[in-house]
Amino acid sequence: MIKNLVRGSALSLALVLVPLFSSPAAQAAAAAAPVAEVTTLADAVDLVKVTEEDRTGYTRTKFKHWNSGDDMSDGCNTRNEVLLAEAVVAPTVGAGCKLTGGTWRSYYDGQEVTNAGSLDIDHMVPLAEAWDSGASAWSARRREAYANDQGSHTSLVAVTARSNRQKSDQDPADWMPPSPEAQCRYVGEWVATKLRWQLTADDRELETLKVYAEGPCEDTIVRYTPAA
């Protein structure tokens, strides 16, 4: 039985539909679109390359966020678009994309939250960790795309500010969600994000991922689409 699927939903494979009479250019663009990869956690961990980490030169400002989000016409930045997408009960959206009401569930600690201001939008793989793992070589534009990535719903997650700040910039070797029920999902989403952005891991991180992949999370499925 497949369990621990992303956001607890049934696994769905995205199909790219090409209109029968689409232009050659449109057909070529569709054919070149990244294809979703689906694999076991153990196999996904094996795909992560190992290198030493180096935080030299890192500053948070090198990852521009939050920007105007995926929908530039809605008046909401990336943070608020993620909050709207993840709400269990939708908030009211006022002028300037001010959110009132609404309900969220922070999966790191299992807490129900009814105030958007009590939530952080966590980068699944923290910005500093991304820098260590390959983002230091990226262009500013690609780092901005990473920091505002809504192309995969595993990249950004609404969680309690407390749990996000406990996590800080640590990888799974040093921090895991306090809720045991969340840990396999977390490891799967961590690995999916690393593979999506072709980020590396250090030795301790990889060994920790293998422990989960070969033990309590062996049935976890990882789904990711390489970032353009």
Side-chain angles (χ1 to χ4, degrees), residues 110-131:
Q111 297 298 304
E112 184 176 281
V113 180
T114 56
N115 176 10
S118 298
L119 292 162
D120 281 355
I121 304 303
D122 181 39
H123 294 92
M124 172 55 59
V125 174
L127 302 181
E129 170 71 19
W131 179 272

Side-chain angles (χ1 to χ4, degrees), residues 11-17 34-38 223 225:
L11 180 65
S12 61
L13 299 181
L15 300 179
V16 179
L17 301 181
V35 176
E37 303 286 346
V38 182
R223 180 180 186 274
T225 303

Side-chain angles (χ1 to χ4, degrees), residues 39-46 184 187-188 191 209 212-213 217 220-222:
T39 187
T40 64
L41 178 57
D43 285 346
V45 170
D46 285 342
C184 289
V187 172
V191 175
L209 296 174
Y212 282 93
C217 304
T220 297
I221 297 299
V222 173

Side-chain angles (χ1 to χ4, degrees), residues 22 34 57 59 71 77-78 81-83 87 105 107 110 124 135 167 174-175 181 197 202 209 217-218 224:
S22 61
T59 61
D71 184 353
N77 63 13
T78 299
E81 287 184 357
V82 173
L83 289 172
R105 185 168 181 81
Y107 94 80
M124 172 55 59
K167 172 184 174 179
D174 296 308
W175 187 89
E181 294 79 10
W197 289 93
D202 63 21
L209 296 174
C217 304
E218 63 180 352
Y224 68 96

Side-chain angles (χ1 to χ4, degrees), residues 73-87:
S73 67
D74 66 1
C76 299
N77 63 13
T78 299
R79 170 186 162 82
N80 280 359
E81 287 184 357
V82 173
L83 289 172
L84 289 169
E86 296 195 359

Side-chain angles (χ1 to χ4, degrees), residues 137-191:
W138 293 351
S139 67
R141 182 175 181 178
R142 187 165 178 83
R143 286 197 290 267
E144 179 179 354
Y146 176 84
N148 296 274
D149 181 21
Q150 294 184 69
S152 169
H153 51 240
T154 65
S155 296
L156 300 171
V157 58
V159 295
T160 57
R162 180 180 181 180
S163 64
N164 185 41
R165 291 162 198 181
Q166 288 174 340
K167 172 184 174 179
S168 185
D169 58 7
Q170 300 175 94
D171 69 32
D174 296 308
W175 187 89
M176 289 291 289
S179 173
E181 294 79 10
Q183 291 178 357
C184 289
R185 173 180 167 182
Y186 182 78
V187 172
E189 294 189 357
W190 179 278
V191 175

Side-chain angles (χ1 to χ4, degrees), residues 43-81:
D43 285 346
V45 170
D46 285 342
L47 295 174
V48 180
K49 295 181 180 179
V50 182
T51 61
E52 294 296 322
E53 294 185 350
D54 183 1
R55 197 158 296 185
T56 303
Y58 168 74
T59 61
R60 191 171 175 84
T61 56
K62 290 182 178 178
F63 293 80
K64 181 182 177 182
H65 68 294
W66 305 110
N67 64 19
S68 56
D70 281 356
D71 184 353
M72 298 184 67
S73 67
D74 66 1
C76 299
N77 63 13
T78 299
R79 170 186 162 82
N80 280 359
E81 287 184 357

